[in-house]
Amino acid sequence: QVQLVESGGGLVQAGGSLRLSCAASGDTICISAMGWYRQAPGKEREKVAAITSGGSTYYADSVKGRFTISRDNAKNTMYLQINRLKPEDTAVYYCNADRGATIRQCINDYGMDYWGKGTLVTVSS
């Protein structure tokens, strides 16, 4: 199994910056792609950024130019640098990891998605 723990959320004024971290443990060798999702009250969870094991990235249109996703595979940690925060960025941000490696020890539970418990980002105007 894989455990994910987010950190770095908090209360920030509009225009400010935050860096979120996601620390992975357990069967980290089985992780392929990782990503960040967010969910605001009354809204569906949305994917805001993703990154493959090779470093290819994806960003939602709403965050392009302001968010930067990265990962340090040696430290089993993924980051989300958030700049020029807007009130509409207020949400719980969740870390996601895909069990996509096909080596023998990862075949069991192949394809499973793992989730952290989330970290709250609140942006005041």
Side-chain angles (χ1 to χ4, degrees), residues 15-83:
S17 298
L18 282 175
R19 189 177 78 155
L20 308 183
S21 299
C22 172
S25 60
D27 297 334
T28 57
I29 194 173
C30 299
I31 295 173
S32 53
M34 300 184 73
W36 288 97
Y37 292 69
R38 68 185 181 188
Q39 188 166 26
K43 298 285 189 177
E44 292 187 348
R45 185 171 59 190
E46 65 170 337
K47 183 167 69 176
V48 297
I51 185 167
T52 68
S53 58
S56 298
T57 59
Y58 158 87
Y59 297 98
D61 289 342
S62 59
V63 307
K64 284 181 180 177
R66 299 188 298 118
F67 289 23
T68 303
I69 190 171
S70 62
R71 65 193 291 180
D72 186 336
N73 292 329
K75 298 176 64 175
N76 295 317
T77 303
M78 178 180 64
Y79 306 94
L80 186 68
Q81 178 67 44
I82 309 176
N83 296 326

